[in-house]
């Protein structure tokens, strides 16, 4: 990877796009740095109104990121649930491993913004940390599934990725490994044939991609996913519902249709988490339910993901369906759980 493949500031991104640098974003990038692959920048299409472009909104700073000073940086209590270095243990049968802090592009909606705000970055997991993780997993055989996350695990070198997967899959109680990555979306060329080979060597491995808009499903992105699909790796996708990006049934329908045509199953549609610096993307839960309702008569179940929210304080995921709505309430979720999921503040 050469330096020219990334824009590390608003002015570098503006130079790439051939526009004058926006003058009101310096303060935002001091808090939440900019890093965007030139590939992802090339997907910005709305030259008439750049700030309304769905790719721009996902990767370029917005002043609204600084306006929210009340939300928590870690409302899902991931830090509290660290059971071993970089290992989050929330559910009985599965854990999340933060393998690296590197990403191919810093997403403005990232719910782990705390790990890269103000110039910080989680380091790649060390050998000692990995040994401690494996020791924990050996002591806790109820854990059967490891979600390798970050940052973006496909930003690890091929050697580190292989070593990590070998160590984890060597634990007798681990039945499934999920690798969560936005590389196929933001820099698909980094899902190389070598890395595809490594992923495919683990028969119980699933790849979880993170496409949010149909403009991201490019021939390059599909080609990258096909490198693993052709080797037998199942690929699921999770999408975050975001105001001004994809909070529209027609946009999401196009996205999900493109994904299933490429053998990528839309798995989850998440409501945005109430994390500091991302609240301006919030749509409110009703918007997601309304979109699901629109899908019912016209979209195959293969294309419809589960709509879910992550409960604050580490309470875990809850799936929501329009049918479950009774008298305007969501029976499986209490009012306490809904704090932070209200409509986004007026800007
Ligand atoms: S790639 Fe993932 S971890 Fe990295 S900034 Fe985007 S959402 Fe956050």
């Amino acid at each position: 990877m050469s330096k020219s493949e990334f824009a590390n500031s608003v002015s570098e991104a503006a130079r790439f796009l051939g526009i004058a640098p926006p003058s009101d974003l310096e303060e935002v990038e001091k808090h939440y740095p900019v890093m965007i692959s030139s590939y992802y920048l090339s997907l910005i299409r709305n030259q008439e109104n750049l700030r309304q472009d769905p790719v721009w909104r996902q990767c370029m700073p917005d002043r609204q990121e600084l306006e929210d000073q009340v939300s928590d940086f870690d409302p899902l209590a991931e830090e509290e649930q660290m059971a071993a270095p970089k290992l989050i243990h929330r559910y009985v049968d599965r854990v999340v491993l933060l393998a690296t802090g590197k990403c191919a592009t810093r997403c403005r909606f990232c719910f782990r913004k705390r790990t890269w705000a103000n110039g910080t970055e989680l380091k790649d997991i060390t050998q000692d940390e990995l040994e401690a993780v494996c020791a924990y997993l050996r002591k806790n055989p109820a854990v059967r599934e490891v979600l390798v996350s970050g940052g973006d695990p496909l930003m690890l070198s091929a050697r580190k990725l292989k070593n990590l997967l070998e160590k984890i899959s060597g634990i007798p109680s681990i039945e499934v490994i999920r690798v969560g990555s936005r590389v196929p979306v933001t820099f698909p060329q980094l899902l190389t044939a070598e890395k595809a080979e490594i992923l495919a060597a683990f028969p119980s491995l699933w790849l979880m991609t993170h496409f949010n808009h149909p403009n991201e499903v490019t021939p390059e992105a599909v080609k990258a996913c096909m490198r693993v699909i052709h080797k037998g790796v199942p690929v699921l996708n999770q999408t975050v519902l975001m105001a001004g990006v994809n909070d529209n049934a027609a946009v999401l329908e196009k996205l999900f249709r493109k994904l299933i045509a490429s053998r990528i199953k839309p798995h989850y549609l998440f409501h945005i988490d109430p994390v500091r610096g991302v609240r301006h993307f919030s749509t409110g839960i009703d918007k997601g339910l309304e979109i699901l309702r629109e899908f019912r008569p016209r979209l195959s179940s293969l294309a419809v993901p589960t709509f879910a929210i992550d409960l604050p304080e580490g309470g875990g995921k809850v799936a929501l369906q329009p049918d479950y709505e009774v008298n305007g309430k969501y029976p499986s979720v209490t009012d306490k759980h809904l704090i932070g999921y209200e409509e986004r503040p007026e800007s």
Side-chain angles (χ1 to χ4, degrees), residues 100-160:
T100 177
K102 294 193 191 86
C103 302
T105 286
R106 294 292 188 207
C107 310
R108 309 318 292 183
F109 60 85
C110 178
F111 81 104
R112 293 209 179 103
K113 232 168 173 174
R114 70 179 190 280
T115 65
W116 54 268
N118 302 314
T120 54
E121 183 177 281
L122 214 62
K123 300 268 179 299
D124 288 0
I125 191 163
T126 64
Q127 200 57 29
D128 285 350
E129 287 171 333
L130 191 52
E131 294 300 342
V133 164
C134 291
Y136 179 83
L137 294 177
R138 266 186 224 101
K139 269 196 223 142
N140 292 275
V143 177
R144 292 157 182 259
E145 187 177 324
V146 178
L147 168 57
V148 185
S149 182
D152 197 314
L154 292 188
M155 295 299 286
L156 289 172
S157 66
R159 183 184 58 80
K160 282 187 182 174

Side-chain angles (χ1 to χ4, degrees), residues 12-253:
E12 281 182 26
R15 207 173 308 131
F16 177 91
L17 294 167
I19 58 167
S23 57
D24 58 340
L25 301 177
E26 282 167 13
E27 198 56 31
V28 190
E29 64 178 318
K30 266 191 219 153
H31 286 79
Y32 303 117
V34 170
M35 204 268 286
I36 315 168
S37 74
S38 50
Y39 164 82
Y40 197 59
L41 278 172
S42 75
L43 305 187
I44 294 175
R45 293 183 189 167
N46 188 349
Q47 299 299 329
E48 302 301 308
N49 195 347
L50 286 165
R51 292 191 192 216
Q52 298 305 315
D53 184 278
V55 172
W56 173 290
R57 281 183 63 75
Q58 290 183 75
C59 66
M60 288 290 272
D62 188 308
R63 287 204 58 79
Q64 293 181 93
E65 291 173 54
L66 298 182
E67 282 163 15
D68 173 17
Q69 293 298 326
V70 291
S71 308
D72 200 331
F73 257 137
D74 183 19
L76 308 185
E78 289 194 330
E79 299 296 336
E80 273 173 43
Q81 293 174 332
M82 287 283 174
K86 296 178 175 150
L87 191 78
I88 302 160
H89 193 175
R90 175 176 304 153
Y91 303 99
V92 175
D93 68 333
R94 55 203 186 275
V95 290
V96 177
L97 177 60
L98 306 182
T100 177
K102 294 193 191 86
C103 302
T105 286
R106 294 292 188 207
C107 310
R108 309 318 292 183
F109 60 85
C110 178
F111 81 104
R112 293 209 179 103
K113 232 168 173 174
R114 70 179 190 280
T115 65
W116 54 268
N118 302 314
T120 54
E121 183 177 281
L122 214 62
K123 300 268 179 299
D124 288 0
I125 191 163
T126 64
Q127 200 57 29
D128 285 350
E129 287 171 333
L130 191 52
E131 294 300 342
V133 164
C134 291
Y136 179 83
L137 294 177
R138 266 186 224 101
K139 269 196 223 142
N140 292 275
V143 177
R144 292 157 182 259
E145 187 177 324
V146 178
L147 168 57
V148 185
S149 182
D152 197 314
L154 292 188
M155 295 299 286
L156 289 172
S157 66
R159 183 184 58 80
K160 282 187 182 174
L161 179 66
K162 184 165 182 262
N163 174 55
L164 182 142
L165 294 174
E166 279 173 353
K167 290 271 180 204
I168 293 171
S169 64
I171 312 256
S173 48
I174 298 303
E175 296 168 355
V176 172
I177 299 176
R178 272 193 278 168
V179 173
S181 173
R182 203 156 138 81
V183 155
V185 183
T186 56
F187 200 159
Q189 297 80 358
L190 294 183
L191 208 182
T192 57
E194 185 186 15
K195 286 192 182 169
E197 201 75 56
I198 290 169
L199 298 179
F202 299 91
S204 61
L205 186 144
W206 297 61
L207 179 65
M208 315 294 296
T209 56
H210 195 160
F211 291 93
N212 290 325
H213 192 276
N215 291 1
E216 296 173 335
V217 190
T218 63
E220 293 92 333
V222 170
K223 194 171 162 193
C225 293
M226 283 301 169
R227 269 182 217 124
V228 296
I229 291 171
H230 284 159
K231 291 182 190 303
V233 176
V235 180
L236 301 180
N237 185 71
Q238 57 188 42
T239 295
V240 180
L241 180 65
M242 283 181 276
V245 174
N246 57 10
D247 55 338
N248 173 304
V251 168
L252 285 177
E253 178 176 342

